[in-house]
Amino acid sequence: RKEVEQDPGPFNVPEGATVAFNCTYSNSASQSFFWYRQDCRKEPKLLMSVYSSGNEDGRFTAQLNRASQYISLLIRDSKLSDSATYLCVVNGYAGNMLTFGGGTRLMVKP
Amino acid sequence: ETGVTQTPRHLVMGMTNKKSLKCEQHLGHNAMYWYKQSAKKPLELMFVYSLEERVENNSVPSRFSPECPNSSHLFLHLHTLQPEDSALYLCASSQGPPGGGFYTGELFFGEGSRLTVL
């Protein structure tokens, strides 16, 4: 089983749509969770941390379900500029290092 | 402009060449990392330095050799690479605890060095 698993997509959605990504992780001792965004041929950048109670940043909402060991990212009112690969990141492996999922590609169409 | 700069941005080398990738961070962080990103694979952590001390990563072939002369600079020395080593190599930094160790918060990445091994 992969340590951090994501559906690679691509998710093709029209502008204005709501889209959700899930990510599962295998280490029940993980304590820190993040979503990173990576644009085509660019470096990953932190989108948002994921807190136990769930958190929202504008159109983006992140949720954590410890019992089922998954985190989710919800994007409302999708924009063309949201097109990117979204990386799920979890700590707690190999000496508490951050481990990246393979990413989910989102393509928002006009 | 990123606070982490990598050079060169692109590198083509033969299997018998020796080259180095350079990373410099301007953020005052005390931990630096090398990651490898291959097509259709997750980012793979290669090496970590905290307060200029290296965390061993036994899964990385010895043809990759890191060097961290100070907390702002990180090198990845390459020799006798294989075509399957072709990938994007990303440097990152983060702020760890003052006494060393790793803060598992935000990583700041450079733009990467795209390596092609012929």
Side-chain angles (χ1 to χ4, degrees):
Chain A
R1 182 182 174 185
K2 292 180 183 177
E3 293 175 338
V4 181
E5 195 152 7
Q6 298 182 249
D7 180 344
F11 284 58
N12 294 296
V13 302
E15 269 187 295
T18 295
V19 62
F21 311 134
N22 285 335
C23 163
T24 57
Y25 60 95
S26 60
N27 187 347
S28 59
S30 295
Q31 293 295 321
S32 301
F33 309 89
F34 310 90
W35 285 101
Y36 276 68
R37 170 189 169 136
Q38 186 172 22
D39 292 309
C40 187
R41 307 190 78 80
K42 295 283 193 177
E43 73 275 22
K45 292 183 179 179
L46 179 67
L47 176 67
M48 59 196 302
S49 302
V50 185
Y51 302 121
S52 296
S53 55
N55 48 298
E56 189 174 303
D57 183 2
R59 299 181 292 110
F60 299 84
T61 299
Q63 297 279 353
L64 168 64
N65 185 319
R66 286 189 185 274
S68 301
Q69 293 180 213
Y70 78 81
I71 67 175
S72 64
L73 177 67
L74 181 78
I75 305 175
R76 291 181 299 278
D77 188 24
S78 299
K79 311 291 185 191
L80 295 176
S81 57
D82 293 334
S83 298
T85 297
Y86 291 84
L87 305 169
C88 173
V89 186
V90 178
N91 86 314
Y93 302 93
N96 211 31
M97 290 297 115
L98 291 180
T99 299
F100 285 75
T104 298
R105 189 173 174 205
L106 171 66
M107 299 179 69
V108 181
K109 301 292 178 63
Chain B
E1 182 179 318
T2 179
V4 180
T5 56
Q6 291 186 240
T7 55
R9 294 291 310 281
H10 300 273
L11 178 62
V12 179
M13 59 187 290
M15 289 191 286
T16 57
N17 292 159
K18 288 184 180 181
K19 297 285 184 183
S20 296
L21 307 180
K22 178 183 176 182
C23 176
E24 182 175 359
Q25 59 99 358
H26 315 278
L27 302 168
H29 291 163
N30 59 8
M32 296 186 75
Y33 311 76
W34 280 116
Y35 281 87
K36 175 183 179 182
Q37 188 172 37
S38 306
K40 301 187 186 301
K41 292 178 69 175
L43 269 76
E44 301 171 57
L45 179 62
M46 300 178 72
F47 300 103
V48 184
Y49 278 83
S50 173
L51 296 177
E52 301 154 43
E53 289 191 18
R54 178 171 130 187
V55 173
E56 294 297 329
N57 189 326
N58 296 326
S59 64
V60 180
S62 59
R63 57 186 183 269
F64 295 93
S65 174
E67 178 189 1
C68 186
N70 55 61
S71 59
S72 299
H73 293 86
L74 186 64
F75 295 89
L76 187 62
H77 303 300
L78 316 169
H79 61 98
T80 60
L81 294 192
Q82 305 298 311
E84 60 265 29
D85 296 323
S86 299
L88 180 68
Y89 289 84
L90 289 159
C91 174
S93 70
S94 70
Q95 183 56 38
F102 310 102
Y103 170 57
T104 55
E106 184 172 4
L107 289 174
F108 291 81
F109 286 90
E111 293 181 291
S113 294
R114 188 162 296 280
L115 173 66
T116 302
V117 182
L118 302 176

